[in-house]
Each structure stands twice: as structure tokens, then as C-alpha cells.
Amino acid sequence: DNIILLHSRFSAGDRAKKEDKLKPEEGKILIATQVVEVSLDIDYDTCFTEIAPFESLLQRFGRVNRHGFREPAIVNVCVGNRNNDKVYNTKYLCQTYETLLKVNGKIISELMVQELLDTSYPEELKKELKEEVTQNITNFRESFTRELTPYGLKDKEILNKLKEQWDNLFDGYEVIPESIYNKKIRNKWLNSLEISNYMIPISGRRFFILNKNNLIIRDERFLFIYKDFENPYNDDIGL
């Protein structure tokens, strides 16, 4: 009961319930992925984290002594796993490591943050990010701004194509486990907001693997249904 697990593969509704219970108390531990970086007003005593981009680390640090009512807190960064491209760019993590060495054992003040962020980005990565943003803006304009019409709905084929183009702008998809779909959605009229409570984000790479193995189906509402019969969705551990 003293350990809470939080990651992105919970439905929006279940994740909201978990977040409502995140009241730090003595002896309580939160184990989380990157989701801890956003939209959480929590105040823990300390943090143990793997190395990540510097802005991500700052967000994680912000969940410790959040309101500054106590003495400056110690945060711990495990730096051994920085040669792994599965989650973050290796060059970026190595540059972040060099930046961390400069503040090891010191208090990080707000005045230092911008300079630390600037020095944590390799020049090559800055250029790649700029090109990626520019390309996404171009794709959005071509696929959506020019496609909009002032009146009426488009036919299903065009809507389907636009949705695929929209999904391609992001590195990920939202799926609904079939176990949830059969209980909560199938043969029921739900609006988009209600349906979103049951959606779970997964990476584009994961989606294509599942799709290749015929584990993704699509219903008439363009919803992606994940066949989770082997490992059914669980509201305690997620997908």
C-alpha cells in the first residue's frame, strides 16, 4: 500500500484516479516514468532518477521540496545508463552528464537554469530539432490547413486519411484495450470526451509491431482496439 506505480499506459480515467491519491507521506514511495514530469503538484522528500535530458531532470527535481518550505533537498541521478538510444539520444545524455558534473554537490538556483539548459544541448541536436519542427509545420499546413472546407462533412475515406496524417505528426497512437472496449464502449453511444477516458497512449514503434502481429483492429469510429486477451488491461499495473 505504500508504493504507487505511475506510467503512461494507464487509461486516462485510471491515471486521474491514481494522481488523486498521490499525497506524499512518510514511508510512501512513488515509482514513475516520464509522466511524473508534467501536471503533478506533489512534494516528495527526495528523488532517485536515471539520467535524462536536462529539462526533464529539472521537472523531476521540481517534485521534491516543491514549495521551498524546507531546506534544499538532495536529488540523486544515476548516470551509468547514458549509452542507450532506446529512450533518449546518447549524445544528448553524454552532454547532460558533463553539465551535471558542473553542479554536482551544489545548489541549483533559478538563475543557473537557462545556462545549464543551453550547455546541455549538443549543437548537432539543436540543428536536428529545428529541422524536425520546420518539417512538421510544413506537413501540418499541407495536410490540414489547405484541406479544411467551410461547410459540411467530408466522406469517410477522406476523414480516415486525415486522421492517419494527424497521427503521423506525433510519435505515438492511442489505443483502447479490447477488454475495456467490450465492457465500456461496444454497442454504446459515447461522445469523444467519454471515450478518451479509456484511451491509452503507446509509441509508434510499439503500435506498428502490434499491428504487424494483427493485434490492432479498427472500428467504425476510427478507434484503434488493442487485442489484450493474453495480458488483459489491469487498472493497478496498466497495460
Side-chain angles (χ1 to χ4, degrees):
D1 293 337
N2 289 331
I3 299 176
I4 296 176
L5 175 67
L6 186 65
H7 55 74
S8 64
R9 290 186 186 175
F10 287 101
S11 68
D14 286 340
R15 181 171 158 183
K17 291 176 185 176
K18 277 181 168 281
E19 290 178 359
D20 285 341
K21 297 178 182 178
L22 293 182
K23 295 179 180 179
E25 297 174 1
E26 186 173 347
K28 281 207 168 185
I29 298 172
L30 169 64
I31 299 176
T33 58
Q34 297 103 315
V35 298
V36 78
E37 297 171 13
V38 293
S39 304
L40 288 179
D41 185 11
I42 54 178
D43 183 13
Y44 280 84
D45 292 328
T46 190
C47 165
F48 296 86
T49 174
E50 286 190 281
I51 192 169
F54 201 79
E55 63 266 30
S56 295
L57 291 177
L58 288 173
Q59 292 292 334
R60 298 173 194 186
F61 298 166
R63 306 300 178 238
V64 176
N65 195 10
R66 182 168 179 78
H67 304 291
F69 296 150
R70 303 187 296 276
E71 290 296 311
I74 294 175
V75 291
N76 309 271
V77 183
C78 304
V79 298
N81 190 26
R82 57 184 185 274
N83 295 311
N84 188 339
D85 274 326
K86 287 185 178 180
V87 181
Y88 299 118
N89 180 291
T90 295
K91 291 181 180 178
Y92 192 4
L93 293 186
C94 290
Q95 185 90 1
T96 299
Y97 171 71
E98 296 298 325
T99 303
L100 285 171
L101 289 178
K102 298 177 183 178
V103 291
N104 188 31
K106 299 178 182 179
I107 295 176
I108 300 177
S109 71
E110 288 291 331
L111 295 175
M112 300 165 61
V113 167
Q114 189 59 55
E115 181 181 351
L116 292 172
L117 282 171
D118 291 341
T119 58
S120 72
Y121 269 92
E123 289 301 320
E124 181 181 341
L125 183 58
K126 289 180 184 178
K127 183 180 178 181
E128 290 176 4
L129 288 172
K130 184 177 180 179
E131 290 174 352
E132 185 177 343
V133 169
T134 302
Q135 185 61 52
N136 280 341
I137 290 172
T138 301
N139 291 343
F140 183 84
R141 285 175 177 164
E142 291 180 353
S143 298
F144 297 96
T145 307
R146 296 177 187 176
E147 287 284 348
L148 292 177
T149 53
Y151 306 109
L153 291 172
K154 296 179 181 293
D155 63 44
K156 184 177 288 188
E157 184 178 343
I158 295 177
L159 284 173
N160 197 11
K161 180 182 176 183
L162 284 174
K163 187 177 189 310
E164 288 181 0
Q165 290 173 332
W166 176 261
D167 289 336
N168 287 337
L169 290 175
F170 307 95
D171 182 27
Y173 293 82
E174 289 186 316
V175 300
I176 299 175
E178 192 172 28
S179 55
I180 294 180
Y181 180 79
N182 291 334
K183 292 178 184 177
K184 307 287 188 179
I185 300 175
R186 186 189 292 275
N187 301 324
K188 294 182 180 180
W189 170 252
L190 300 177
N191 61 41
S192 297
L193 187 59
E194 291 170 319
I195 290 175
S196 68
N197 274 323
Y198 304 112
M199 290 183 168
I200 299 174
I202 61 175
S203 68
R205 181 174 178 274
R206 177 69 175 161
F207 178 87
F208 289 120
I209 291 174
L210 292 172
N211 196 37
K212 185 177 180 181
N213 290 300
N214 298 314
L215 292 175
I216 298 289
I217 56 177
R218 202 168 188 178
D219 79 347
E220 65 278 0
R221 286 174 281 191
F222 308 132
L223 300 175
F224 291 119
I225 316 302
Y226 168 45
K227 297 180 180 180
D228 62 331
F229 49 86
E230 287 191 2
N231 296 291
Y233 175 82
N234 181 301
D235 60 6
D236 187 42
I237 62 173
L239 190 63

